Amino acid sequence: MKKVLFEIVVPAVVLALWMITCYPVCCKAEGFDYFLYWILVGCPYGIRKMCLYLIPKNFGIAGSMGVFALNCIIGGLMGGIVVIMRIAKIFTEIIKVIGGHFWTQCPKE
């Protein structure tokens, strides 16, 4: 039960809440902005890796903010791929739990 909670429920709830939070930002009068949604949803998952590559140093305020914006955009794009992999991992864990619950090995005689 602990495995199900920490490998399926908690990541799925956190991801769903974050996606629901980002949804109203991307709804515009012209329509839904999927690119912005991809970046916003992926940003928390990819910014940790991106800040390891581009570190703003020896810049002024404008240069540091520019590097930070670039980190957010590229980190969001990379994080979108991480989100897809996390969703796939959640689905595979659900299939493993269901498969392990219904199909057990028969004892050998």
Side-chain angles (χ1 to χ4, degrees):
M1 189 65 180
K2 188 175 181 181
K3 177 185 175 188
V4 171
L5 180 67
F6 287 109
E7 290 188 10
I8 297 174
V9 177
V10 173
V13 168
V14 168
L15 184 60
L17 285 174
W18 181 246
M19 290 175 81
I20 290 170
T21 304
C22 293
Y23 183 78
V25 175
C26 299
C27 286
K28 297 181 180 178
E30 302 87 39
F32 191 75
D33 191 359
Y34 290 103
F35 185 67
L36 180 62
Y37 190 66
W38 180 277
I39 291 174
L40 287 177
V41 170
C43 194
Y45 295 97
I47 196 70
R48 294 177 295 178
K49 297 289 184 191
M50 200 56 214
C51 283
L52 294 174
Y53 301 130
L54 291 174
I55 301 170
K57 57 183 175 180
N58 296 331
F59 290 114
I61 293 174
S64 296
M65 292 305 293
V67 171
F68 180 70
L70 184 65
N71 278 342
C72 287
I73 292 170
I74 295 175
L77 292 173
M78 289 179 2
I81 297 168
V82 172
V83 166
I84 292 172
M85 290 189 302
R86 291 241 179 157
I87 291 172
K89 180 182 175 189
I90 290 170
F91 281 128
T92 56
E93 291 294 327
I94 290 172
I95 290 170
K96 283 181 188 177
V97 167
I98 291 172
H101 182 70
F102 287 118
W103 290 284
T104 57
Q105 291 184 349
C106 297
K108 294 184 179 183
E109 296 179 18

